[in-house]
Amino acid sequence: MKALYENIARLAQYGIETGLIDESERIYSINLMLDIFKEDDFEAPEQIESPVDLESTLKALLDIAVEKGLCEDGVVSRDLFDTRLMNTITPRPSEVNRMFFDRYAESPVAATDFFYKFSQDTDYIRRYRLCKDIRWVYPCAYGDVDLSINLAKPEKDPKAIAAAKNAKQSGYPKCQLCMENVGYAGRINHPARETHRVIPLTINNSDWAFQYSPYGYYNEHCIVLNGEHVPMKIERATFIKLFDFVKQFPHYFLGSNADLPIVGGSILSHDHYQGGHYEFAMAKAGYEKELTIPGYEDVQAGIVKWPMSVIRIRSKEAGRLIDLAEHILNKWRSYSDEAAFIFAETDGEAHNTITPIARMRGDVFELDLVLRNNITTTEHPLGVFHPHAKLHHIKKENIGLIEVMGLAVLPARLKDEFSALSDAILQKKDLRADEMLKKHADWVEEFYPQYSDVNKDNIDTILKDEVGKVFVEVLEDAGVYKCTAEGREAFLRFIATL
């Protein structure tokens, strides 16, 4: 029991070091942990090394829990159990709200700095997993795009997959964005959320909440969610809500996924937005052509130099941008141009929508409107304006808000595939004979002759650069108007209707 007592004491000490609990709550937290381990006794260690390393402390406690039969030895079960442990040192929601708004009175930045650190200290955002993500930058004609192989979201182990298949289905919470997730213990098919805390906000005169993403695709990656479980919808109210948020947190951007399948996000059933403290390549891109829109001559507007089709509008008056954005949205919803293969609807199914992103530049409001269309064909069953089949070996998933702005979130499988691919290329192996690597064979045969020397010192850089080129192609595929003379001419035909 000595190891158990020592690590329980360490976790309580960690809570004090990070400010999650007060010294007066040490015994209380230790007793909560003892109850989780079904222990009646405790002997405090003579000394605790400081600062406490959270990852190794939790691992030691989880190993003991598995040994005692309190937890299955799989990542899903271990995550459920260690979240219970972390909840013993996590303040209650009302206390977190008080601390946040006390700091907000000082400044919005002070408030978000506190909440972001808090969300990491509680292990809701697992720092030790985020640091495993593979990230790099690829400079292209449109700017410096970001790429990442995201490893922070753990792959489910076979036991958990089997258990989830047989688990009783529950409708509570309705989805992973619902308010009912706050404090929810989780289950084999729903993540633990006992340490999850949200900040209540008023957005467009209704109840919303602000939280951080546990998977942190970029700096201070936050989610702003509707207090009610209602579906995503791009409409005038969307633009009002985006600006309501950035007025309260002017150092953050906020954007919405589109509201249609293929071009939308992974959760269309719950109205929510994503934002954060990060400037993407698209936000840095300038106008390739300035526009004057009749009736809105006072609003600065232009087509952004970006592979996707972006109209950027700017004004010191948010209301003018809201009015113009609604005007553009309504025109786009009903717009068809057969020559450009833009169809507003086919067989009664709507295809046109918008991905909007709002931000502030000093005292100027800025709104990017990315034109989207989700039409499919026999040749492109996953979407005409979606990554085409030749790119699926790298990226097959939907191009949502984050990719639109210039960050490729690539599947975790690529980590192992690229390691094996590097070795195979250097050893001149037949990629087509390898079950895992054969999908990359055409791609490698295309780029390999362009390099006079491929060796162990440059293979990693070469692969990253070539993946960067693929991501740019992905964005170009997703753009409804291509960056060609013909594509820009078609873009201007739509602009002329405004």
Side-chain angles (χ1 to χ4, degrees):
M1 289 300 107
K2 182 181 178 183
L4 175 60
Y5 297 160
E6 284 180 351
N7 283 288
I8 283 177
R10 284 195 188 105
L11 191 54
Q13 177 64 24
Y14 168 84
I16 291 165
E17 289 175 357
T18 54
L20 292 174
I21 61 172
D22 185 76
E23 175 62 48
S24 64
E25 297 170 306
R26 184 192 296 269
I27 293 172
Y28 171 78
S29 295
I30 287 172
N31 285 335
L32 291 177
M33 287 183 247
L34 289 171
D35 181 57
I36 291 171
F37 277 96
K38 303 186 185 307
E39 286 292 323
D40 297 325
D41 294 323
F42 179 73
E43 186 177 324
E46 291 182 9
Q47 189 175 355
I48 301 171
E49 288 187 14
S50 185
V52 173
D53 178 68
L54 179 62
E55 183 181 12
S56 61
T57 301
L58 288 177
K59 182 183 182 303
L61 287 168
L62 286 165
D63 289 346
I64 293 168
V66 170
E67 189 180 320
K68 287 169 70 73
L70 298 172
C71 172
E72 290 284 335
D73 192 15
V75 65
V76 174
S77 295
R78 289 171 76 100
D79 280 3
L80 290 169
F81 195 88
D82 73 9
T83 305
R84 281 184 71 193
L85 292 174
M86 289 303 300
N87 192 43
T88 66
I89 56 170
T90 299
R92 294 176 73 87
S94 60
E95 177 64 9
V96 178
N97 293 341
R98 183 193 62 75
M99 290 189 285
F100 181 89
F101 286 108
D102 281 352
R103 287 162 178 80
Y104 188 86
E106 178 187 329
S107 76
V109 173
T112 55
D113 282 353
F114 153 74
F115 192 43
Y116 189 58
K117 179 180 181 297
F118 170 89
S119 299
Q120 295 174 86
D121 288 343
T122 62
D123 213 33
Y124 179 73
I125 299 173
R126 296 175 185 253
R127 289 185 179 102
Y128 46 86
R129 287 185 183 163
L130 285 185
C131 68
K132 294 177 183 176
D133 290 350
I134 301 169
R135 302 175 187 269
W136 71 100
V137 174
Y138 174 68
C140 70
Y142 306 103
D144 293 346
V145 296
D146 296 301
L147 298 103
S148 71
I149 298 175
N150 193 275
L151 305 172
K153 191 173 185 177
E155 300 287 333
K156 288 186 177 178
D157 54 272
K159 279 186 180 180
I161 293 170
K165 186 178 179 182
N166 298 322
K168 178 184 175 183
Q169 294 303 305
S170 169
Y172 181 87
K174 289 179 181 175
C175 77
Q176 291 188 28
L177 294 177
C178 283
M179 294 290 288
E180 288 78 9
N181 282 280
V182 176
Y184 187 64
R187 51 185 189 270
I188 205 72
N189 56 3
H190 192 102
R193 291 292 181 256
E194 283 163 304
T195 58
H196 178 41
R197 302 292 183 263
V198 301
I199 304 300
L201 298 177
T202 299
I203 303 284
N204 194 25
N205 300 313
S206 57
D207 293 334
W208 283 64
F210 164 70
Q211 66 171 78
Y212 287 105
S213 165
Y215 309 119
Y217 294 141
Y218 50 86
N219 187 48
E220 296 180 43
H221 178 185
C222 70
I223 301 171
V224 180
L225 52 98
N226 198 317
E228 300 293 327
H229 183 76
V230 294
M232 299 280 292
K233 187 178 182 183
I234 303 296
E235 57 186 348
R236 178 184 176 85
T238 304
F239 311 127
I240 294 171
K241 288 180 276 195
L242 294 179
F243 283 123
D244 271 5
F245 178 82
V246 297
K247 286 174 188 175
Q248 295 177 62
F249 301 93
H251 58 300
Y252 274 17
F253 77 88
L254 193 68
S256 174
N257 267 304
D259 55 354
L260 294 178
I262 296 176
V263 295
S266 58
I267 301 179
L268 294 176
S269 61
H270 194 122
D271 195 15
H272 71 285
Y273 308 127
Q274 295 182 78
H277 199 185
Y278 191 73
E279 188 171 39
F280 290 89
M282 189 182 83
K284 296 176 185 175
Y287 291 132
E288 72 172 54
K289 183 177 181 60
E290 293 196 12
L291 305 170
T292 300
I293 299 174
Y296 298 91
E297 290 83 359
D298 57 314
V299 175
Q300 185 183 3
I303 294 172
V304 178
K305 186 183 178 184
W306 190 246
M308 298 194 68
S309 307
V310 187
I311 300 170
R312 176 171 296 157
I313 55 178
R314 306 178 82 237
S315 174
K316 288 188 176 183
E317 296 181 40
R320 291 295 285 158
L321 298 188
I322 291 164
D323 289 344
L324 178 51
E326 181 186 26
H327 174 61
I328 294 171
L329 174 65
N330 290 341
K331 286 288 186 180
W332 179 244
R333 289 279 195 200
S334 60
Y335 182 77
S336 293
D337 180 351
E338 188 173 350
F341 208 77
I342 303 294
F343 297 94
E345 60 90 20
T346 55
D347 300 324
E349 180 187 352
H351 296 305
N352 289 351
T353 186
I354 279 177
T355 299
I357 303 105
R359 64 184 76 88
M360 293 199 72
R361 305 282 192 188
D363 61 350
V364 176
F365 294 97
E366 186 172 277
L367 185 64
D368 286 349
L369 302 170
V370 188
L371 307 181
R372 312 298 302 275
N373 179 289
N374 76 344
I375 195 168
T376 60
T377 62
T378 304
E379 183 185 0
H380 300 293
L382 296 182
V384 172
F385 305 108
H386 179 85
H388 290 175
K390 66 172 264 189
L391 308 177
H392 288 178
H393 66 107
I394 299 293
K395 181 71 175 176
K396 185 178 182 179
E397 298 79 13
N398 290 358
I399 302 306
L401 171 68
I402 295 171
E403 284 87 4
V404 163
M405 296 186 292
L407 167 59
V409 180
L410 301 173
R413 63 174 170 83
L414 291 177
K415 178 179 181 286
D416 291 337
E417 289 179 17
F418 286 169
S419 177
L421 190 60
S422 296
D423 292 340
I425 290 172
L426 293 174
Q427 295 170 32
K428 295 182 167 45
K429 290 182 179 178
D430 179 7
L431 300 183
R432 298 184 190 281
D434 188 300
E435 191 63 31
M436 181 173 72
L437 300 181
K438 65 182 181 181
K439 60 176 164 292
H440 298 301
D442 288 346
W443 174 55
V444 174
E445 288 172 6
E446 186 179 323
F447 76 69
Y448 189 84
Q450 299 171 26
Y451 296 90
S452 59
D453 181 32
V454 178
N455 56 62
K456 63 181 178 61
D457 295 323
N458 67 9
I459 184 65
D460 184 59
T461 300
I462 288 171
L463 283 178
K464 285 180 175 177
D465 284 350
E466 292 301 324
V467 173
K469 293 175 187 176
V470 168
F471 179 52
V472 173
E473 284 189 66
V474 163
L475 293 177
E476 290 172 339
D477 283 351
V480 295
Y481 295 117
K482 306 310 175 189
C483 296
T484 61
E486 184 182 20
R488 270 13 201 179
E489 185 181 324
F491 201 161
L492 291 175
R493 287 201 297 273
F494 169 66
I495 298 296
T497 68
L498 297 177

